[in-house]
Amino acid sequence: MGVLDVIKARRSIRDFIDREISEDAMSRLIDAAVWAPSAGNLQSRKFYFVLNQEIKKRLAAAALNQGFVARAPLAVVACMDRRIAQRYGDRGVNLYAIQDVSASIINMMLVAHEMGLGSCWVGAFDEFEVIEILDLPDNLRPVAIIPLGYPAHIPKPPRRVSIQDAVEFIR
């Protein structure tokens, strides 16, 4: 399957079967995350792979009670590292670090899909609660929670905006 095929076939999965994710699969997800591009190659990101059921329940509660976060075998909390400011100032913190994490997240989601795993990008959560749950240091800020697991159901593709509305050519 080509990369564009993987991109078009990936869906947001919120319903998972009860099946563990192998260590090999988690290693591939980690590779996907760390090989994403980053501003100045500073790699201003950190990932927490949460397998502990009690912690996942607390994360689900912090994610506005989105229970599927706890029902996934794995929840990855993707964080940006504010230390990028040492090189890029406010723009590094307010933009580049978030871009770095976002590139890593999509890499993980595409590799997950390629391996038959489902995932969902969860951005709706109480940031301060997640910081407390994971006891994050001051330099880290959670950007997203990504529940991962084997899909119980794969939804139909959502409608996309037209190419004419999405793209403007300047020649």
Side-chain angles (χ1 to χ4, degrees):
M1 185 180 284
V3 175
L4 188 56
D5 295 325
V6 171
I7 290 168
K8 288 182 175 182
R10 190 208 61 78
R11 299 284 175 272
S12 291
I13 303 298
R14 295 175 179 86
D15 191 14
F16 305 97
I17 63 172
D18 186 20
R19 179 177 166 196
E20 286 185 22
I21 297 174
S22 72
E23 293 291 328
D24 180 60
M26 284 191 277
S27 291
R28 291 189 65 199
L29 293 170
I30 292 166
D31 273 351
V34 300
W35 279 97
S38 71
N41 197 33
L42 294 181
Q43 303 174 51
S44 56
R45 56 206 172 202
K46 181 156 180 126
F47 305 92
Y48 290 82
F49 278 52
V50 181
L51 301 161
N52 179 288
Q53 189 59 38
E54 288 308 310
I55 300 294
K56 287 189 297 180
K57 284 179 184 175
R58 291 178 66 197
L59 289 171
L64 311 180
N65 294 310
Q66 296 182 74
F68 68 92
V69 171
R71 289 189 298 275
L74 170 65
V76 176
V77 179
C79 300
M80 59 167 267
D81 191 335
R82 290 184 179 97
R83 289 180 294 192
I84 194 172
Q86 295 170 355
R87 176 137 177 220
Y88 290 116
D90 287 344
R91 189 164 172 87
V93 172
N94 296 320
L95 183 61
Y96 302 162
I98 293 169
Q99 291 172 336
D100 287 2
V101 174
S102 297
S104 290
I105 290 168
I106 196 61
N107 273 11
M108 277 194 294
M109 292 175 85
L110 293 174
V111 167
H113 177 72
E114 177 191 47
M115 293 188 295
L117 294 169
S119 62
C120 185
W121 190 311
V122 176
F125 57 86
D126 182 321
E127 182 175 326
F128 300 105
E129 207 172 322
V130 171
I131 289 168
E132 184 179 301
I133 291 165
L134 297 178
D135 193 26
L136 297 179
D138 291 341
N139 60 298
L140 295 181
R141 178 182 182 194
V143 173
I145 301 170
I146 314 299
L148 292 124
Y150 292 93
H153 169 74
I154 299 173
K156 292 185 181 191
R159 192 177 85 61
R160 295 290 177 200
V161 66
S162 74
I163 292 171
Q164 293 76 16
D165 287 339
V167 177
E168 192 76 34
F169 285 93
I170 301 173
R171 298 184 191 262

